[in-house]
Amino acid sequence: MTTRTDLEIARAARKLPIQDIGATLGIPAEALLPYGHDKAKIGQGFIRQLGDRPDGKLILVTAINPTPAGEGKTTTTVGLGDALARIGKRTAICIREASLGPNFGMKGGAAGGGMAQVVPMEDMNLHFTGDFHAITAAHNLLAAMIDNHIYWGNTLEIDERRIVWRRVMDMNDRALRDTVVGLGGVSNGFPRQTGFDITVASEVMAILCLAEDLDDLQVRLGRIVVAYTRDKQPIHARDLKAEGAMAVLLRDAMQPNLVQSMEQTPAFVHGGPFANIAHGCNSVIATRTALKLAEYVVTEAGFGADLGAEKFFDIKCRKAGLSPSAAVVVATVRALKMNGNVDRADLGAENVAAVQRGCVNLGRHIENLRGFGVPVIVAINHFHSDSAAEVQAVQGYAASLGAEAVVCRHWALGSVGAEELAQKVVALAEGETARFAPLYPDEIGLFAKIETVARRIYRAGSVVADKVVLDQLAAWEAAGYGGLPVCMAKTPYSFSTDPTLRGAPEGHVVPVREVRLSAGAGFVVAICGEIMTMPGLPRHPAAETIGLDAEGQVEGLF
Amino acid sequence: MTTRTDLEIARAARKLPIQDIGATLGIPAEALLPYGHDKAKIGQGFIRQLGDRPDGKLILVTAINPTPAGEGKTTTTVGLGDALARIGKRTAICIREASLGPNFGMKGGAAGGGMAQVVPMEDMNLHFTGDFHAITAAHNLLAAMIDNHIYWGNTLEIDERRIVWRRVMDMNDRALRDTVVGLGGVSNGFPRQTGFDITVASEVMAILCLAEDLDDLQVRLGRIVVAYTRDKQPIHARDLKAEGAMAVLLRDAMQPNLVQSMEQTPAFVHGGPFANIAHGCNSVIATRTALKLAEYVVTEAGFGADLGAEKFFDIKCRKAGLSPSAAVVVATVRALKMNGNVDRADLGAENVAAVQRGCVNLGRHIENLRGFGVPVIVAINHFHSDSAAEVQAVQGYAASLGAEAVVCRHWALGSVGAEELAQKVVALAEGETARFAPLYPDEIGLFAKIETVARRIYRAGSVVADKVVLDQLAAWEAAGYGGLPVCMAKTPYSFSTDPTLRGAPEGHVVPVREVRLSAGAGFVVAICGEIMTMPGLPRHPAAETIGLDAEGQVEGLF
C-alpha cells in the first residue's frame, strides 16, 4: 500500500537507459532510435531481420465488463509482465498508446497504476513519440486531397453528399462533431457538411495497428474508401494517389516504441485504436516484434472480454496469424459487486451475496474465452476493502467452472504481488492446451458474422437491422468485401446493448443501427447503439488545473 | 557544380552523432535529449545555467525582395555558417523549422540547397521533433476550451460573434478557411462561423518564438485575447484557465533543436512563425542559447529585408535585447535582373543594363539596414549563368554605396565557396561599428509606428486606414497595448503593396486594411493587402508523387 499518487510513484521510478532495456531483449543500441533517454523506436531494419525466429508465448489480459469501480486491466498487464520477469522469464509487455485529448478533459490516462506502471508516464500521456500526431496528419492530408480534387474539377466524379472521410483531431472538441466546410466563396471550394472525429477513431490508426510492414501499410492506405460516386461506386485513397504521401507521414510512426515498467521490464507501447469502431489492441508489428524477442508477451485488449477479447481474437489474431497461449480475466470484488447490482456508494461494505450474484458476469466471460480454444485464469485485482469471504466467493465460483482465481497485489507491491499469478500463467501456457480458433470462418456472410458474435458472445436472442443496413452489407459483399471480419461497436458496460443491464443477460435483441466499411483496416463496423467518435470536455476540464510547477514539471495531469 | 538533387546530396552527407555536434559547442551529452541519432533537443536545465556567459556575435542574413528567380537566403546562411567554422570560428547556425503541410503541395522545403544544407533533410520537412504538432495541440486545446465554456453556461459572457481565436492545422486545406462549427443539435454546442489557419500562422507559434523561458511562455499564453464580450471587453486565455495546460503541451517544444550542416556545423532549427502576420524568425531561446555557446551565430529572417529584417530588428531584437553585429544581404544576378524588369524566361541571356536597373532594389535595402545602425555586406549567390560583367555591375554598384559585394559559391562548393564572405563578415563584425537601434521608440502611437515603417522602410508617400482601423488601434492603446511594436503584413515582392512593382518604388500609398492584436506574442499586426493564412493545394499536389521506395526511403518530397 502507498498513499503516493501514481504520478509521484512514477517519477520516483529508477529508470534504466533505454539502450539497457533494449539489451535485455537482445536489441542492439544501433537498432534503437532514441527519443530522449527513456524512450526509443525500434528500427524497421532490425525488425525485418527477426522473421525466422520462433515466437514466444502470447498472454492476453482481458476483463469482466467495466464498471465505475474499475478492474485494473492495464495495471494487471504490467504487474503480470513484471512478475513473469521476476520469475526468470524474458518478458515484454505490449500495450496501447494513450490519446492526448482526453487527458485535458478528465484526469487519468496513466499506463497502469500504483507499483505496476509503465514509465515515463507524463510523456506517454502527452506527445510521446509523436505517433498520433503523424496519424492525424496522414488522415487530414487525405481529407484535404478529397476537397482539393473536387475544387480542381472533380474528374473522379465524387458525389459531395457521399464523402465518408471526415477529419480528425486529438482533442475533445464537441464543436467539431458536425461542421460545414468550404464556405467563403469560389476560392475556398464547395460548401458541404462534414465533421471531425478524435484521432484514435481514425481508420488510419486501425490500419497502422494491423499493417504487417511499410509495404502493407501503403497498400492498406490505398484501399481506404473515402467517398462514392452518384452511382455509388467507391472512390479509394489510391484513386486520389494519396497513399504514398500518407505512408511517408507514417513511416516513423510504424516503428514500435520501447519503454519500461517501473521494474525495468521492456514495454512496447504502440498504437491505440478505439475499442468500439475499431479493434482496440496495440499494433500487430509491436506484438510480433515482441514475440520474436521475448519468451512471454503480455498484452491487453480494450473494454471487457465480450468486446475486447472477441476483436483481439477475431480481427487481430485471425489476420496476423497470432495464437494466444492463455487469457487472464481481470476482476475486482468491487466490480463484481456492481455486477451484482450494488450501488457504487455501498461498495465499502462486505456483501458476499452480491459478489456471488455478480460472478455470473465473470463466468460468462470465462465460458466465451474458452470458446476460442484459449485456457483461462482469473486475476482478482485486490483492493484494500476486499474481505476474505468476498475473495473466497470469487475463487469458489471460478473453481466451480474449473478455473483458478488468483489474488494479485501488484498495485500495492509490484511484481511480488503477482508472482503466484505469473507462476500459474506459465503452467497454463506451458501446458500447451491452447487450440486457438476464431469464432467464425471468413466465408460466411457479413450479417451472419454479426449474428454469430451477438448470439454466441452476447447471448442475444436476435439481431435486427433495417433494410438499408442489410442492403449495404449485401452491396459490400458484392463488391468483394464479404470476407472481412466484423468489428462490433456497442456499449462496453453490458453483454447487451443496454448499458444498465449488468450481470449476464441473455435473449436480448441487438439492433444494428449502422454499418461502416473500413476497407483499409480490413473490417466492417457494426454499430449497435450510440457511439461517440468525438468526446467533449466536462464543465471543469482537467486542463484548468494542469500546469508547470516551479521546476518545470507537469502538475495536475493525473 | 553538381547534377545531384538536394536530397541525394543531403543523404550522402557524413553526419556525426548529435552528441559530437553538441560537444563542439561544449554541450554535455546528458544535456541533450536525442531524437534518433542525428537530432536532439537541448535541455532547459542546461540552458538556464548559461545566463552569465558573454554573447557571441550575431550575424543576420537577409535579402533583396524575393522573385521567382530565387535568392538562396537559407543556403547562404548555411554556407556562411560553414565558412565561419572553416576559418576557425566556433559557429552556430540558427534557422526556422519547416511547416509540414506545404511540402505536400509544392515540392521544396529543403533547409538550404546544394552543398550548403542542414540535415537530416527529410525529418526536418516532416515531423522533425514534433514542435509544430505541439503548437497545433496547444492552439486547438484553447479553441476547444472556448466553445466548451460557452456550452457549459458562458459565465464569462463571451460574445459568440466576437471570438477571434480560430483553430489551426499543419496542412494546406482551403476547405477549412471558412467553416461553421457546433452544428448537430444541443449536445454539440452553439453553431457559429469560424475557420482554420495553418499552424505556422498561430499566435502560439509566435509566442513560442518570443518567449524567454517556460515561465514567460505561460504568462504570454495567458495574455492571448481570444474573444470579446458584447461590450467589447477582452477575454483572455487566462480567463479560461487554459495557459497552464497549453504550457504543458509546449514544454518539450520550447527546447531548441540541434542538428548539423552537411559540414557538421551545429545548427539550431527552432520555431517557424509566418513572416507576414508574425515576425518570421527562429526562436529567441535558440538564438540566445547559440550566442552563449558560439563565437558567431548566423541567422536569417523571412522574405526580403523590408519585411524580414525590419521585424527581426523591431520585434525580435528589441524585445530580446539582441544586438546584431552585421547584416548580409543576399542577392543574385538573376533576381536583380527581374528587379530590372526582365522576364523569367529571358534570365539566361547576359543583360548588364538590367542588372544595373535592378540594383536599386539592393541599394534601398542596404540603406534601410544601415538605418538600424548595422553594417552591411552583400553576398552575390552565384549561379552558373552569371556573366563576369553582370557580377562586376553588382559589385560596382555596391561599392558606390560603400559596401562590399562578395561572390559566393557555397551552393556548388560548400564552405570554401563562402570563405571570402566569412572573412569579410568577421572583419565587419570585429570592427565593432554596429550601433543597433530599432526604428521607432515604444512610446509613439500604434498608427505612428505603422507610418514610420511605411515611410522610412517602404518609402511610402502616405498610409491610409478606415476609421474602424484607427478606432481599433485607439481602443488597444486605451487598453494598455500602445507600447507594442507593429508587425507589418504586406506582399514580400515589392517595397510597395503592389507585388508587381519591383525595383525601388517610392511615394506609393500603403492601405492598412485590418489590424489584429497578438497580445501574447506582443505585437499588433497591420494587414496591408491580401494575406492568406491557410494555403490550398495545387491541381496536382506533390503528395500525389510522394512515397516510399523499396528500401523505405522517402521519394518525391523534394
Side-chain angles (χ1 to χ4, degrees), chain A residues 66-71 106-107 332-351 354 383 385 493 502:
Chain A
T67 71
E71 339 79 50
M106 311 282 265
K107 287 195 190 200
T332 61
V333 165
R334 289 156 59 86
L336 288 170
K337 278 187 202 170
M338 288 196 80
N339 267 293
N341 290 319
V342 171
D343 281 348
R344 194 175 182 182
D346 301 327
L347 289 177
E350 179 179 273
N351 190 338
F383 193 74
S385 65
Y493 300 111
R502 294 199 170 122

Side-chain angles (χ1 to χ4, degrees), chain A residues 88-152:
Chain A
K89 301 296 178 186
R90 196 168 63 251
T91 303
I93 295 162
C94 281
I95 60 175
R96 285 166 290 170
E97 298 180 59
S99 182
L100 181 155
N103 286 323
F104 294 90
M106 311 282 265
K107 287 195 190 200
M115 301 306 289
Q117 296 186 51
V118 172
V119 287
M121 183 185 182
E122 290 145 288
D123 290 357
M124 289 176 57
N125 285 289
L126 291 167
H127 309 291
F128 199 35
T129 59
D131 294 343
F132 287 16
H133 292 317
I135 289 164
T136 303
H139 183 117
N140 290 334
L141 172 62
L142 178 55
M145 289 177 79
I146 296 167
D147 283 302
N148 191 60
H149 178 85
I150 296 168
Y151 177 85
W152 287 106

Side-chain angles (χ1 to χ4, degrees), chain A residues 478-491:
Chain A
Y481 297 115
L484 297 181
V486 292
C487 177
M488 304 298 286
K490 75 157 181 65
T491 177

Side-chain angles (χ1 to χ4, degrees), chain B residues 294-450:
Chain B
E295 295 172 280
Y296 276 82
V297 173
V298 186
T299 191
E300 62 164 340
F303 295 149
D306 54 328
L307 279 168
E310 188 271 316
K311 294 185 199 186
F312 175 77
F313 293 140
D314 279 326
I315 299 175
K316 180 172 174 177
C317 291
R318 177 198 302 262
K319 290 298 173 187
L322 301 173
S323 202
S325 296
V328 177
V329 186
V330 181
T332 60
V333 165
R334 289 157 57 86
L336 288 170
K337 278 186 201 170
M338 288 198 79
N339 266 293
N341 289 319
V342 171
D343 281 348
R344 195 175 182 182
D346 301 329
L347 289 177
E350 180 179 89
N351 190 338
V352 176
V355 172
Q356 282 166 331
R357 280 197 307 275
C359 272
V360 293
N361 186 269
L362 172 62
R364 173 75 61 79
H365 288 298
I366 292 172
E367 203 178 312
N368 283 347
L369 290 163
R370 285 174 171 165
F372 287 94
V374 178
V376 179
I377 188 167
V378 178
I380 304 174
N381 186 16
H382 190 266
F383 193 75
H384 64 87
S385 65
D386 299 351
S387 80
E390 289 173 327
V391 168
Q392 280 161 17
V394 184
Q395 292 179 312
Y397 177 84
S400 75
L401 298 176
E404 283 205 85
V406 184
V407 177
C408 302
R409 298 172 190 266
H410 45 273
W411 185 86
L413 304 175
S415 64
V416 70
E419 199 173 327
E420 187 188 350
L421 177 67
Q423 297 284 9
K424 291 188 168 162
V425 163
V426 167
L428 210 57
E430 295 186 354
E432 301 280 356
T433 57
R435 299 285 178 274
F436 169 70
L439 190 68
Y440 51 80
D442 290 351
E443 297 76 32
I444 64 171
L446 291 169
F447 194 72
K449 289 171 183 169
I450 296 168

Side-chain angles (χ1 to χ4, degrees), chain A residues 101-452:
Chain A
N103 286 323
F104 294 90
M106 311 282 265
K107 287 195 190 200
M115 301 306 289
Q117 296 186 51
V118 172
V119 287
M121 183 185 182
E122 290 145 288
D123 290 357
M124 289 176 57
N125 285 289
L126 291 167
H127 309 291
F128 199 35
T129 59
D131 294 343
F132 287 16
H133 292 317
I135 289 164
T136 303
H139 183 117
N140 290 334
L141 172 62
L142 178 55
M145 289 177 79
I146 296 167
D147 283 302
N148 191 60
H149 178 85
I150 296 168
Y151 177 85
W152 287 106
N154 198 10
T155 52
L156 290 172
E157 299 182 349
I158 293 168
D159 184 342
E160 291 153 48
R161 303 163 306 175
R162 291 194 171 95
I163 298 173
V164 291
W165 194 251
R166 291 155 56 90
R167 288 174 176 81
V168 296
M169 189 184 280
D170 194 0
M171 195 58 65
N172 287 20
D173 193 347
R174 68 171 67 75
L176 294 180
R177 286 174 189 155
D178 196 344
T179 66
V180 170
V181 301
L183 295 170
V186 171
S187 63
N188 296 356
F190 296 84
R192 65 183 184 86
Q193 197 163 359
T194 179
F196 285 68
D197 298 320
I198 193 163
T199 298
V200 287
S202 168
E203 187 182 346
V204 177
M205 174 71 84
I207 289 172
L208 183 124
C209 290
L210 289 168
E212 311 229 331
D213 53 28
L214 282 173
D215 289 343
D216 185 38
L217 176 78
Q218 186 160 327
V219 170
R220 285 171 177 265
L221 292 168
R223 277 188 206 137
I224 295 171
V225 172
V226 298
Y228 296 86
T229 60
R230 285 181 82 100
D231 54 356
K232 301 189 187 169
Q233 294 306 301
I235 305 290
H236 308 87
R238 63 173 178 261
D239 300 325
L240 292 159
K241 302 189 183 121
E243 75 277 21
M246 292 172 76
V248 165
L249 283 165
L250 296 168
R251 186 181 58 158
D252 292 343
M254 261 298 279
Q255 300 179 126
N257 305 298
L258 180 69
V259 289
Q260 61 193 290
S261 74
M262 291 200 310
E263 298 195 19
Q264 296 90 44
T265 307
F268 291 69
V269 180
H270 194 220
F274 250 27
N276 44 42
I277 60 155
H279 59 293
C281 338
N282 75 307
S283 76
V284 164
I285 196 168
T287 303
R288 279 209 183 140
T289 303
L291 285 168
K292 295 294 178 197
L293 297 170
E295 295 171 280
Y296 276 82
V297 174
V298 186
T299 191
E300 62 165 340
F303 295 149
D306 54 328
L307 279 167
E310 188 271 315
K311 295 184 198 187
F312 175 78
F313 292 140
D314 279 326
I315 298 176
K316 180 172 174 176
C317 292
R318 176 198 303 263
K319 290 299 173 185
L322 300 173
S323 202
S325 297
V328 177
V329 186
V330 181
T332 61
V333 165
R334 289 156 59 86
L336 288 170
K337 278 187 202 170
M338 288 196 80
N339 267 293
N341 290 319
V342 171
D343 281 348
R344 194 175 182 182
D346 301 327
L347 289 177
E350 179 179 273
N351 190 338
V352 175
V355 172
Q356 282 166 330
R357 282 198 304 277
C359 273
V360 293
N361 186 269
L362 172 62
R364 174 75 62 80
H365 288 299
I366 292 172
E367 204 178 314
N368 283 346
L369 290 163
R370 286 175 171 165
F372 288 94
V374 178
V376 179
I377 187 167
V378 178
I380 304 173
N381 186 15
H382 189 264
F383 193 74
H384 64 87
S385 65
D386 298 352
S387 80
E390 288 173 327
V391 168
Q392 279 161 17
V394 183
Q395 292 179 312
Y397 178 84
S400 74
L401 299 176
E404 285 206 83
V406 184
V407 176
C408 302
R409 298 170 189 268
H410 45 272
W411 184 86
L413 303 176
S415 63
V416 71
E419 199 172 327
E420 186 189 350
L421 177 67
Q423 298 283 11
K424 291 188 168 161
V425 163
V426 167
L428 211 56
E430 295 186 356
E432 302 280 356
T433 57
R435 299 286 178 273
F436 169 71
L439 190 68
Y440 51 80
D442 290 351
E443 297 76 33
I444 64 171
L446 292 170
F447 193 71
K449 289 172 183 169
I450 295 169
E451 280 190 309
T452 303

Side-chain angles (χ1 to χ4, degrees), chain A residues 11 29-37 39 48 100-101 104 122-123 126-128 130 133-138 140-141 143-145 147-148 151-153 167-189 193 196 214-215 217-218 240-252 536-555 557, chain B residues 11 29-37 39 48 100-101 104 122-123 126-128 130 133-138 140-141 143-145 147-148 151-153 167-189 193 196 214-215 217-218 240-252 536-555 557:
Chain A
R11 277 202 186 133
E30 60 271 23
L32 291 175
L33 289 158
Y35 282 66
H37 302 294
K39 307 180 287 297
R48 274 194 291 267
L100 181 155
F104 294 90
E122 290 145 288
D123 290 357
L126 291 167
H127 309 291
F128 199 35
H133 292 317
I135 289 164
T136 303
N140 290 334
L141 172 62
M145 289 177 79
D147 283 302
N148 191 60
Y151 177 85
W152 287 106
R167 288 174 176 81
V168 296
M169 189 184 280
D170 194 0
M171 195 58 65
N172 287 20
D173 193 347
R174 68 171 67 75
L176 294 180
R177 286 174 189 155
D178 196 344
T179 66
V180 170
V181 301
L183 295 170
V186 171
S187 63
N188 296 356
Q193 197 163 359
F196 285 68
L214 282 173
D215 289 343
L217 176 78
Q218 186 160 327
L240 292 159
K241 302 189 183 121
E243 75 277 21
M246 292 172 76
V248 165
L249 283 165
L250 296 168
R251 186 181 58 158
D252 292 343
L537 292 170
R539 184 182 290 269
H540 291 293
E544 291 181 355
T545 52
I546 291 172
L548 295 171
D549 67 15
E551 281 78 47
Q553 297 229 60
V554 177
E555 52 184 16
L557 190 53
Chain B
R11 279 204 185 131
E30 59 271 22
L32 291 176
L33 289 158
Y35 282 65
H37 301 294
K39 308 179 289 294
R48 274 193 292 267
L100 181 155
F104 294 91
E122 289 145 288
D123 290 357
L126 291 168
H127 309 292
F128 199 35
H133 292 316
I135 289 165
T136 303
N140 290 335
L141 172 62
M145 289 177 79
D147 282 302
N148 190 60
Y151 177 86
W152 287 106
R167 289 173 176 82
V168 296
M169 189 184 281
D170 195 0
M171 195 57 65
N172 287 21
D173 192 347
R174 68 171 66 75
L176 294 180
R177 287 174 188 154
D178 196 344
T179 67
V180 170
V181 301
L183 295 170
V186 170
S187 63
N188 296 356
Q193 197 163 359
F196 285 68
L214 282 173
D215 289 342
L217 177 78
Q218 186 160 327
L240 293 159
K241 302 190 184 122
E243 75 277 21
M246 293 172 76
V248 165
L249 283 166
L250 295 168
R251 186 180 59 159
D252 292 343
L537 292 170
R539 183 182 291 269
H540 290 293
E544 292 181 356
T545 51
I546 291 172
L548 295 172
D549 67 15
E551 281 79 47
Q553 296 229 60
V554 177
E555 53 185 14
L557 190 52

